[in-house]
Amino acid sequence: MYRGIVEVCSVILVALTIIGYGEAGTHHIPPLNGENPSARLIDGRVVNNGVSRAVLDYRLPNTTEPIHYDIELTTNVHNGTTKFTGTVKIQLRVVEDTRTIVLHARQLTGYVATIRNATSETEEVLTTSYEEEREFLSLTPTNTSLNFLADSEWVLTISYEGVLRTDNGGFYLSTYTDSTGRERYLATTQFESTDARHAFPCYDEPAKRATFSIVINHDASYSAISNMPLDEAGYSVFEKTVIMPTYLVAFIVSDFEYTEGVLSARPQRIYTRPGTVQYQEFALVSGLLLLQRLEDYYGVNFSLPKIYQVGVPDFAAGAMENWGLATYREQYMLYNTNSTTNTQTNIATIIAHEYCHQWFGNLVAIKWWTYLWLKEGFATLFSWQATDAAYPEWDVYQMFLTGDYQTALTADGTGQRNPMTHYVQTPSEISLRYDSISYSKAGSVLYMFQNAFTDEVFRLGLNLYLTSKQFSAAEEWDLFESLGIAAGALNVAIPATMHQMFSSWSQQSGYPLLTVTRNYDNKSFTVKQTAFYEDNSKASDKSWYIPFNYAHKSKPDHRNTTATHFLLNVDEIVVRDEDLDADDWLLLNKQSTGFYRINYDDKNWELLASALKTQPYKFHPRNRAQLIFDAYKFSSTGRLSHSVYLNLLQYLTNEDQYAPWTTAYSVISTFNRYLNGDEDYAKFQFFIAALVTNIYEKLGVNDVSGEQHLTKFTRNVVINLACLAGIESCLEESNNKLKALISDGVSIEPNLQSVIYCNGLVQSGDDEFTYVYNELMASDDQALRRTLVSSLGCSRTESQLKKFVESSIDPAAEWRTQERITLLSAAYSRNSVGLLVCIDFLKENWLAYSNLTPGFGGDNPLNDAMLGIASYVVNTEQETKYLELVDLVKDSDKVQTNLEEVVKSSIKQNFDWLSSNREPIMSWVSKFAAENNTGGNAAGLSASFITLFATLAIVLACYF
C-alpha cells in the first residue's frame, strides 16, 4: 500500500523532510528530530509507546482456519443508499477441538448464523456474541452436544447488515460531481490492514489465506468489478480467486468508464469517473510496461488473468495493491496536457509500487504485521527500480536518494523508532507500522544488500523466495535463506551468514555512523562504526554487519557498487591502499548505496570540498548530494565545524544536478526558517545568491520542451532559492507570470505553477488570492487542487489566511474529505503569519477541527496539527501563544495524553538549534559577504522586497 507520504513533489517535499522528518503531512521541517512516535491517537484510541491500554491477545484463536469464502452483497449505492446486506459462507477446517468459532467483524449488525458439516445438509443454529475491543464475533452451537472436532470441515453461513462508511475505510461511500453538477455515488473498498471485517465477517489476518467467490447485486445502471474477471454466469458474479488474505479482497460498484490494453495476452484496464477517460492513457501504458518489467526481473509470472486499476475520488491511502484490482487516488491515474512532470512521475512510481505488491504481499503474504517491511520495503525499492527500467531516461534513482533514503536516515536517527521487524497486535499498533521504517528504511536496506552482493545474487534470491513461498505466508528468515542460497549458487563469497548480516539491520533500530580517519603517512585509513543519533551525547553498544566500498582521486570510478570490505559486527577495521596518496581525496559508499552516514577527518573534508569545486563531475550526483546531507547533520549536531560545511557548499556554483540541489534546498530552507528575522539576514541572502545565480541564469523561469526529466524539478528548486535570496529578476518574473494569468489569461506552464503561484501570492492582494482560491474550488483536477492548496498557504496576509484555514471546517466549502485536513499545514509551514493564524483558529475551533475525518493512519486531525505546529515555533512570541492553545486541548481525548511533554520537547529542540547554529552560521556568511561584496546585499536584490523576503520561508510541498 502506498501511503501518500514519501511522494515526489514538484518543489520537493521529500527534500524538506530529510532535514526534519514529517509523515503524512504532519510536519515537515523541524530542525533535528521529527515526529515523536512515543504517543499518538489512532482510530480514537490513545497508544503510548506502541502499547495499547488493554493487555489482551488480539490474535484469533488457532482452532479453525478458512478454506473458501462465498460472499454475496447487495447495495443500492446508485441512489446514495448507504445500507447494504450480505451473506458469507465460509468453508473452514477445524485445527483443534473447539465448541466456538471466532471471527472478526466490525460495525455489522443483524447476525443470523448457521453451520453444517461439509458432508451433511443438516444446518445447526449458532448463537453469536461480540466483543468490541478485539472485534471478535464468537459463534457457538445452540446444540450443547455439538463439538467441532479437529480435522473436520464445516460450512458456516452468516447473514448480516452493514452501512457504507464515510471515512474512506472498509466498504465505503465515495462521491463525485458530474458534468451537469449532479452528485454521483459509488461504493468502494479499502481493507488493509484490518477493515475487511467491515464488509463481511472473516478471519482478518494476513496469514489466514483462502479463496473467494464474490457476487454483488446492484442496480443495472452501475457495474461492479472485483479481483477476478466477471464470470459468464452474470454481470455481478466473479470468478473464484486464488488463495489470498482478506485485506487484498476488493470490489467497486460505480458508473466508471475504462480503457483497456493487452500485453503478453493479459488485459489491463484503467477505470475513472465519466468524462476523464481521455486522460487514462499514460497510466495504462505505464501499467503495461511496469508489470512486464517486474515479471521479467523476478522470473515469476503475474498470477491472475487480468489486472485493473481504479482512480477513486475519495481515497485516504495513496494507493492500494488489491490483487488484480489496484486502487488509487484519482490524481495518480489521470494525466493530460496540463499535467506536470511531477504528476507523471507520481503515476509511474506509484503504479510500480502497487504492482510490486502483486508479488511481495500478494503472491507471498506476510505471516503477521510484524513483517510489514517484507512487503512495503520491496514495494518502495521497486517503485524506483521498475520505473527506472521502464523510463531509464528519467534517472529516478536521484529521487530515491533525496526521498526514501534520506527520509529514512532522518527518521531513524532520532533514536525513537522501532526496528523494521517489530511485533504488534492491535489495529492501532498495526497502523503505527505504516511509517518510514517499514517503507523507506526497509527499501534502503534492501537496496544496500542488492548492491553489496551484486544484483545477480539479489535477483536470484528473490526468485527463490517467490517460488518457494508462493501462495503462502513468509517471515524474514525465509528471505534471508533464499538470498544465502542464491549467493552460494552463484559462487559469491559472503563473509558471514545472510541471517547474521541482514538481521543486524532488521531487528534493531537505528543505523551506523562510519567515522573515517586517515593516516596520511602510510596510505591507510581506519573505519569505525558507532550508532548514529541526532543527540550527539547519546551512545549505545549497537553494531552492524556493514558492507562498504570506496573511491579516491587515483581510482575515481563510481560504477561498481559491490562491497569490497565489511565491518563484521566489530568496532573498526584498517584499510591500506598503496594507490592512496596523502593529497588524494577519499570517499566511501559509491553512489550512496549503503544505509549509513560517513564522517571524515577535517583534512579529508577539505580535500573533498576542493575537488568538488574544481571537478564535481568526478563524484556521482548521489554522492554529491549525500556529502551535503551528511555534513549538514554533522555540523548541526556538533560533529563538524560549520565553516567546513559552508565551505563545502560553495561548490554549488558549478552544480546542475537534481539530487545535490534538492538536498541543498532542504538545508537552506531550514537555515531560513530560523535566520530570516536576523539583523544580518541580508548577508545570508547574499551567500545564497552567490550559490544559485549560475544555475538560475542557466535554467531561468520558463519551462523548456524536451529537456531532461529531472531538470524540470531542479528549475523549481532553483527559482525558490533565487527568490529567497532576493534576486530581483526572480521576484519580478514570478510576479509578472501570475499577473499575466489573472489580467490577460496567459497560462502558467504546468511545471511552474507551484512556484509561480506561491511566490506570486506572497506579493498579492485580495483579488489575486481570491482568483486562485476560486480556481481551486472550480477544478476537479486533483493534482492541480493539491498544488493550489499548497500555494494558498504562501500568502502573508492575515485576513487571506484566516479565510483559508476557516474553510477547513465550513460545510459549504467545496473540499473533498481528505483535503480539509491539509489546509492548516499549508499555512503554518510557510511563515510566522500563517503559524499565528493557525494557532488563533484552533483556539476558537479546536473541537470542530478534531471532528474532521482523519487521513490515512487514523491520526486525529487536531493531534496531528498540534504536533506539526510545535515544530515551527521558533521564538518566544510564538511559544507563548502556542502553549496557551496546548493548555486548552491537552486534557481532551482528541489528543495524545503526553501532548504537552512532546510539543515542549519539540520547541526546545528549535531553541537549541538556534543556540547552537545561529552564531557560527551568521559569522561565516558575514565574513563571506565582507570578502565578496562590501555592501553585504545580494546582487540584484530589490530593496522593495528585502523586508518581504526577510520573513519568508518559501517552502513548497505536497499535502494530503
Side-chain angles (χ1 to χ4, degrees):
M1 177 164 58
Y2 183 82
R3 300 173 301 158
I5 295 176
V6 183
E7 178 181 348
V8 181
C9 300
S10 60
V11 209
I12 324 307
L13 169 61
V14 293
L16 307 181
T17 61
I18 66 174
I19 295 306
Y21 183 68
E23 290 183 4
T26 302
H27 50 288
H28 301 295
I29 33 175
L32 293 176
N33 296 327
E35 174 190 14
N36 185 328
S38 61
R40 295 170 71 187
L41 191 72
I42 302 295
D43 295 330
R45 305 182 190 181
V46 174
V47 178
N48 291 301
N49 297 317
V51 179
S52 174
R53 295 171 297 178
V55 181
L56 294 169
D57 185 356
Y58 283 74
R59 302 289 294 273
L60 287 173
N62 287 319
T63 53
T64 62
E65 61 185 16
I67 300 171
H68 177 75
Y69 294 80
D70 283 295
I71 301 167
E72 183 170 357
L73 297 170
T74 300
T75 174
N76 288 306
V77 71
H78 66 286
N79 59 23
T81 300
T82 57
K83 178 182 177 180
F84 69 90
T85 60
T87 300
V88 59
K89 292 184 178 180
I90 307 175
Q91 182 182 351
L92 59 90
R93 180 183 299 109
V94 181
V95 179
E96 300 175 7
D97 292 357
T98 184
R99 265 190 51 79
T100 301
I101 297 169
V102 183
L103 307 175
H104 285 116
R106 177 182 294 161
Q107 299 171 355
L108 301 175
T109 58
Y111 302 110
V112 177
T114 60
I115 196 167
R116 64 176 177 83
N117 190 284
T119 62
S120 170
E121 295 299 323
T122 302
E123 298 279 352
E124 297 282 352
V125 177
L126 301 174
T127 60
T128 63
S129 63
Y130 185 70
E131 181 196 327
E132 185 172 358
E133 174 64 27
R134 292 185 291 181
E135 300 178 325
F136 280 5
L137 178 65
S138 298
L139 304 109
T140 307
T142 56
N143 181 351
T144 57
S145 64
L146 178 60
N147 292 288
F148 304 118
L149 302 180
D151 298 323
S152 61
E153 294 186 7
W154 299 78
V155 178
L156 167 65
T157 302
I158 307 172
S159 298
Y160 58 93
E161 296 178 350
V163 176
L164 297 175
R165 286 161 56 175
T166 56
D167 62 355
N168 300 345
F171 191 24
Y172 71 93
L173 179 74
S174 181
T175 64
Y176 71 89
T177 302
D178 68 15
S179 58
T180 68
R182 184 176 57 158
E183 187 172 46
R184 303 285 292 176
Y185 308 96
L186 62 142
T188 184
T189 58
Q190 171 57 42
F191 288 163
E192 188 175 1
S193 52
T194 62
D195 274 319
R197 64 192 68 175
H198 173 257
F200 53 96
C202 57
Y203 296 82
D204 205 7
E205 295 185 358
K208 295 188 180 296
R209 300 173 68 121
T211 53
F212 296 81
S213 295
I214 297 171
V215 176
I216 300 179
N217 301 303
H218 55 84
D219 188 81
S221 64
Y222 272 38
S223 61
I225 51 178
S226 187
N227 304 84
M228 298 295 287
L230 287 167
D231 195 292
E232 294 181 2
Y235 65 86
S236 59
V237 180
F238 297 92
E239 295 177 12
K240 182 179 178 180
T241 71
V242 296
I243 186 171
M244 59 191 284
T246 50
Y247 79 87
L248 293 175
V249 173
F251 34 82
I252 299 173
V253 181
S254 73
D255 62 350
F256 280 10
E257 298 174 344
Y258 70 88
T259 54
E260 182 174 85
V262 179
L263 184 64
S264 300
R266 184 182 299 109
Q268 295 193 40
R269 292 180 183 175
I270 306 294
Y271 282 84
T272 56
R273 57 186 166 83
T276 60
V277 69
Q278 67 270 31
Y279 307 136
Q280 298 173 355
E281 181 180 5
F282 182 73
L284 180 62
V285 171
S286 293
L288 294 168
L289 290 174
L290 290 163
L291 194 72
Q292 188 65 53
R293 297 296 184 270
L294 290 167
E295 200 169 58
D296 292 344
Y297 186 86
Y298 302 143
V300 179
N301 289 334
F302 176 65
S303 303
L304 301 187
K306 61 86 178 173
I307 184 166
Y308 299 162
Q309 301 184 87
V310 185
V312 181
D314 298 295
F315 199 72
M320 177 62 206
E321 69 267 21
N322 313 301
W323 210 346
L325 183 62
T327 48
Y328 303 79
R329 291 184 185 178
E330 183 182 83
Q331 66 208 49
Y332 301 141
M333 287 287 98
L334 302 178
Y335 182 79
N336 56 54
T337 56
N338 293 317
S339 296
T340 64
T341 303
N342 175 60
T343 295
Q344 183 183 39
T345 309
N346 283 334
I347 290 171
T349 56
I350 296 171
I351 290 174
H353 183 110
E354 304 313 321
Y355 275 19
C356 171
H357 276 311
Q358 305 303 308
W359 286 267
F360 292 91
N362 298 11
L363 181 63
V364 179
I366 54 175
K367 284 192 174 179
W368 185 242
W369 303 108
T370 298
Y371 304 109
L372 181 64
W373 73 266
L374 204 53
K375 70 184 189 76
E376 297 301 345
F378 277 110
T380 298
L381 174 59
F382 280 98
S383 68
W384 303 106
Q385 181 166 325
T387 300
D388 185 64
Y391 303 105
E393 69 279 7
W394 288 5
D395 194 15
V396 294
Y397 275 112
Q398 286 199 53
M399 292 180 161
F400 168 70
L401 180 96
T402 59
D404 287 300
Y405 178 89
Q406 293 182 347
T407 294
L409 285 174
T410 299
D412 208 25
T414 63
Q416 299 172 333
R417 298 290 171 139
N418 291 315
M420 288 161 52
T421 299
H422 179 70
Y423 184 71
V424 290
Q425 278 208 76
T426 71
S428 297
E429 292 168 355
I430 294 167
S431 293
L432 291 174
R433 296 302 295 145
Y434 290 83
D435 64 0
S436 61
I437 303 304
S438 297
Y439 285 72
S440 300
K441 179 182 179 179
S444 299
V445 170
L446 288 165
Y447 185 61
M448 175 173 64
F449 283 106
Q450 179 184 25
N451 284 271
F453 298 120
T454 74
D455 184 62
E456 291 74 19
V457 168
F458 191 71
R459 187 173 184 176
L460 177 59
L462 298 194
N463 176 270
L464 294 172
Y465 172 74
L466 292 169
T467 53
S468 65
K469 302 301 295 184
Q470 61 183 331
F471 301 111
S472 65
E475 55 189 1
E476 62 180 353
W477 308 110
D478 299 311
L479 174 65
F480 305 161
E481 181 179 6
S482 294
L483 291 171
I485 293 172
L490 294 174
N491 296 315
V492 174
I494 56 176
T497 69
M498 197 66 72
H499 289 65
Q500 291 172 322
M501 288 186 290
F502 212 119
S503 64
S504 74
W505 295 86
S506 66
Q507 296 202 346
Q508 62 180 347
S509 60
Y511 57 85
L513 164 64
L514 301 189
T515 301
V516 179
T517 306
R518 292 179 59 179
N519 186 325
Y520 293 90
D521 296 326
N522 69 0
K523 300 178 179 290
S524 69
F525 58 92
T526 300
V527 182
K528 180 179 180 179
Q529 70 159 305
T530 54
F532 176 85
Y533 295 105
E534 300 273 10
D535 183 352
N536 196 13
S537 66
K538 188 173 182 179
S540 81
D541 58 359
K542 292 179 180 178
S543 64
W544 290 261
Y545 289 79
I546 306 170
F548 72 90
N549 51 39
Y550 66 92
H552 55 73
K553 183 178 179 180
S554 300
K555 296 179 179 178
D557 194 339
H558 285 57
R559 288 175 297 177
N560 186 353
T561 56
T562 304
T564 56
H565 296 77
F566 292 84
L567 275 164
L568 297 176
N569 207 31
V570 296
D571 289 342
E572 63 181 53
I573 64 170
V574 177
V575 179
R576 186 180 300 276
D577 187 331
E578 293 300 324
D579 295 321
L580 179 61
D581 293 334
D583 60 352
D584 286 353
W585 54 263
L586 170 68
L587 178 85
L588 267 65
N589 198 19
K590 291 186 289 186
Q591 296 191 40
S592 292
T593 59
F595 186 69
Y596 37 76
R597 296 188 186 276
I598 307 163
N599 200 0
Y600 302 94
D601 58 72
D602 282 354
K603 181 177 179 181
N604 195 66
W605 274 115
E606 291 169 2
L607 291 168
L608 287 167
S610 178
L612 282 168
K613 290 176 185 177
T614 57
Q615 295 180 309
Y617 52 84
K618 289 288 187 180
F619 302 85
H620 194 278
R622 302 207 310 258
N623 283 115
R624 303 199 298 263
Q626 195 60 19
L627 286 169
I628 296 170
F629 182 61
D630 282 350
Y632 166 75
K633 282 295 181 183
F634 299 147
S635 66
S636 64
T637 57
R639 295 175 171 97
L640 183 69
S641 73
H642 288 81
S643 61
V644 171
Y645 179 59
L646 293 167
N647 180 57
L648 176 75
L649 289 183
Q650 291 186 80
Y651 102 88
L652 287 168
T653 57
N654 296 318
E655 181 59 79
D656 64 359
Q657 289 295 301
Y658 166 86
W661 271 115
T662 297
T663 306
Y665 176 52
S666 67
V667 173
I668 294 167
S669 296
T670 299
F671 286 172
N672 192 66
R673 275 270 313 136
Y674 296 100
L675 304 176
N676 61 30
D678 197 279
E679 61 183 357
D680 291 327
Y681 180 70
K683 296 172 183 177
F684 171 74
Q685 287 183 298
F686 175 79
F687 174 57
I688 304 309
L691 300 181
V692 77
T693 295
N694 285 350
I695 186 67
Y696 171 70
E697 292 180 351
K698 176 181 178 180
L699 298 183
V701 296
N702 297 309
D703 199 28
V704 177
S705 177
E707 63 190 352
Q708 201 275 334
H709 193 77
L710 293 181
T711 300
K712 297 182 182 299
F713 293 91
T714 307
R715 176 179 290 106
N716 284 348
V717 169
V718 168
I719 290 172
N720 277 327
L721 286 173
C723 286
L724 182 150
I727 294 176
E728 187 172 355
S729 61
C730 179
L731 299 171
E732 290 181 352
E733 291 187 64
S734 297
N735 192 242
N736 288 341
K737 279 180 175 286
L738 182 59
K739 288 181 177 179
L741 169 68
I742 295 172
S743 61
D744 302 322
V746 179
S747 298
I748 299 171
E749 303 100 306
N751 286 315
L752 295 172
Q753 286 174 343
S754 59
V755 291
I756 299 304
Y757 278 125
C758 183
N759 285 296
L761 286 171
V762 167
Q763 310 166 55
S764 73
D766 289 345
D767 289 345
E768 290 87 353
F769 184 89
T770 300
Y771 176 92
V772 176
Y773 183 87
N774 290 340
E775 183 179 4
L776 188 157
M777 288 295 134
S779 176
D780 61 1
D781 183 330
Q782 297 303 308
L784 177 61
R785 289 178 67 92
R786 188 178 71 248
T787 294
L788 296 179
V789 167
S790 178
S791 299
L792 286 166
C794 295
S795 168
R796 291 186 63 255
T797 302
E798 183 177 345
S799 60
Q800 294 172 2
L801 291 171
K802 184 178 179 181
K803 170 187 174 182
F804 179 57
V805 299
E806 286 179 348
S807 71
S808 66
I809 58 172
D810 180 3
E814 297 179 3
W815 297 111
R816 299 213 68 83
T817 299
Q818 68 267 24
E819 290 175 332
R820 292 182 178 274
I821 60 174
T822 69
L823 308 192
L824 264 66
S825 58
Y828 67 65
S829 65
R830 291 302 189 275
N831 51 63
S832 61
V833 178
L835 183 75
L836 294 175
V837 164
C838 289
I839 291 173
D840 290 341
F841 165 76
L842 289 176
K843 282 182 178 179
E844 299 297 325
N845 302 286
W846 66 267
L847 185 59
Y849 191 78
S850 72
N851 289 327
L852 293 177
T853 301
F856 174 69
D859 290 29
N860 186 282
L862 177 64
N863 194 70
D864 200 24
M866 294 301 294
L867 293 173
I869 291 172
S871 61
Y872 289 88
V873 173
V874 296
N875 62 48
T876 54
E877 177 194 4
Q878 296 169 353
E879 180 186 30
T880 298
K881 293 190 174 187
Y882 174 69
L883 291 180
E884 289 173 357
L885 172 61
V886 173
D887 286 339
L888 281 176
V889 305
K890 65 184 180 181
D891 295 324
S892 165
D893 62 359
K894 307 294 186 179
V895 298
Q896 59 195 53
T897 55
N898 65 343
L899 176 70
E900 186 173 23
E901 174 189 351
V902 170
V903 299
K904 284 185 175 179
S905 175
S906 180
I907 294 170
K908 181 180 182 300
Q909 291 164 11
N910 294 350
F911 281 67
D912 287 347
W913 190 97
L914 280 165
S915 177
S916 300
N917 295 281
R918 185 267 167 200
E919 193 284 327
I921 293 172
M922 296 310 296
S923 176
W924 192 94
V925 298
S926 294
K927 181 180 178 182
F928 178 89
E931 292 174 348
N932 292 275
N933 185 308
T934 56
N937 286 328
L941 182 65
S942 169
S944 64
F945 288 118
I946 289 177
T947 301
L948 177 63
F949 279 84
T951 54
L952 170 66
I954 302 178
V955 182
L956 299 183
C958 298
Y959 292 87
F960 306 94

